[in-house]
Amino acid sequence: MQLRALVGASASSVEAAGEAISLLSQLGVPEEQLRDSLIQAAEATLRRDLSTLSSSPADVLELVDEACSSFLPDLALCASLYRSHFPSTKEEMLSRLRPLLDQLNERIRQALLTVVPHDTALTVRSLDRYYSKCAALSQHLPELDNVSACSSLVNEISTREVKLCRERIRNELASAISSIRESLLVDSRSSLPPLIASLMGAALLQMKTALAHLLLFTASDVAFSSTAQSSSSFRAPFARLVYQEVLVGANKDACSLSLSTCSSHASSQPSLALILALAAHEWTAKYAQLEVLCREQFSIGGDDAREMSKEDEKLPRISMATSSNS
């Protein structure tokens, strides 16, 4: 009975459990029974870890740290013990333990999707830590490879971050235009240069801030972005996405906002249309600078740069939209 108890404590005492399995086998306990006992003990241990994580604080980095110090080490210990004693039946172990690893992946995914307040640095640190730990686990136990799942999670979360950046840029531009409109309602003779400068400043600040936040995903010390393989699997696609959404996409949104504002208020507030047209004229040069900045920061060159230039040529400039409506 004491030997069987040691098998059931596999995650906390691997060496003792291994010795117990060897002794029980020598005593004639059927291998199938030993395998099942070990897997049941592993499942119980991992479910306990998941239960503890489910009740942990909402801080995603703390959640990842707990997973990396409890669930993943326990998984590695249980799998190593099973593989060393029952190498010919490892598929049985995988079929029983893999769903629990999938549950952990989903738990972390949900935490990343609900980070409040939104914090790109926290998101990147959490993804990097989890990816690094899973990569180490996969090297030790290729049978429990979780790098592919982590890579999919990185792609999903990074894409979401890019979309959120574009959304914030649009919202801030809409707010800036609304503030200018309200100022003109209070005093239609307000000086135009300060209002133009405030609109330009809001646009530049939001776009540069977005690029700076997203650049964290490609830092040299980030595991999922610094490997040779990640150059084609993550960095290049991510750079294209940033360019298309934060530069081209946000510029399209600015065009749309300008057109909509001019359509609704040009007749009653001609000064507003004039401000938008003049700001758009200045924006052409600023946009070109942002293009250079984006390509340098995200290492966009060669065929990618040429392809993006073609895409950008299709973009209607804000000045064309606003001038025609003023």
Side-chain angles (χ1 to χ4, degrees), residues 43-115:
E43 289 176 324
T45 296
L46 297 176
R47 287 197 181 98
R48 184 182 66 242
D49 290 340
L50 286 174
S51 177
T52 301
L53 290 175
S54 297
S55 61
S56 64
D59 187 307
V60 65
L61 186 57
E62 184 177 345
L63 175 67
V64 169
D65 281 341
E66 290 186 12
C68 291
S69 62
S70 60
F71 184 99
L72 292 179
D74 285 346
L75 176 64
L77 290 173
C78 293
S80 295
L81 180 60
Y82 188 95
R83 185 178 64 174
S84 65
H85 286 277
F86 313 112
S88 62
T89 60
K90 62 184 180 183
E91 291 301 324
E92 180 182 358
M93 178 266 295
L94 293 176
S95 66
R96 298 273 290 272
L97 299 188
R98 184 75 218 189
L100 296 172
L101 180 56
D102 292 340
Q103 288 182 38
L104 175 64
N105 289 335
E106 181 59 22
R107 175 74 177 86
I108 290 176
R109 174 180 176 272
Q110 290 299 326
L112 286 165
L113 291 174
T114 55
V115 173

Side-chain angles (χ1 to χ4, degrees), residues 131 151 154-155 158 218 223-241 298-299 304 308:
Y131 182 94
S151 296
V154 167
N155 289 331
S158 61
T218 64
F224 61 75
S225 180
S226 58
T227 64
Q229 182 181 3
S230 68
S231 177
S232 59
S233 64
F234 176 74
R235 287 201 304 271
F238 181 70
R240 286 194 294 270
L241 181 66
F298 290 88
S299 302
D304 282 339
M308 291 178 188

